[in-house]
Amino acid sequence: MAEEMGMPEGMTEEQIDAMEDAAGTAAEEAYTAAIEGGADPSAAASAAIEAASGAMTDMGAPPEMVDTMATAAQDGFDQAIDQGMDPGQAFDFAGQ
């Protein structure tokens, strides 16, 4: 997904993969912590998206690209919930 969104020139495939892994890990940890803390699924998804966005920005992703990806992820999550997916499925759907 990151390659399609315009990663900075000069980033290697390994750097992009590391960024995607870091963002995925941050998102999963934030989502789980939010759910365990009693947050509703939409709030947990927001926390996950924010965590992933922070990880990507910290690793050099352009903020405009990160904002675009974050909006798409939140919209995807909300759409999946509206279509009847359970929160876990919607979280996975939003990350595609």
Side-chain angles (χ1 to χ4, degrees):
M1 178 183 226
E3 297 93 341
E4 299 161 5
M5 298 297 295
M7 293 304 298
E9 287 191 34
M11 287 193 85
T12 66
E13 188 70 32
E14 291 81 21
Q15 289 170 316
I16 292 170
D17 289 345
M19 183 181 301
E20 290 174 349
D21 289 345
T25 298
E28 186 174 342
E29 290 173 357
Y31 184 84
T32 300
I35 291 292
E36 289 175 355
D40 66 73
S42 184
S46 271
I49 292 164
E50 185 176 327
S53 296
M56 292 181 69
T57 301
D58 289 348
M59 295 181 78
E64 305 81 30
M65 184 206 71
V66 173
D67 289 345
T68 299
M69 290 176 73
T71 299
Q74 185 68 56
D75 290 348
F77 181 86
D78 293 341
Q79 179 183 17
I81 291 291
D82 289 346
Q83 292 176 356
M85 287 185 192
D86 70 45
Q89 292 172 317
F91 182 74
D92 290 341
F93 180 78
Q96 295 178 2

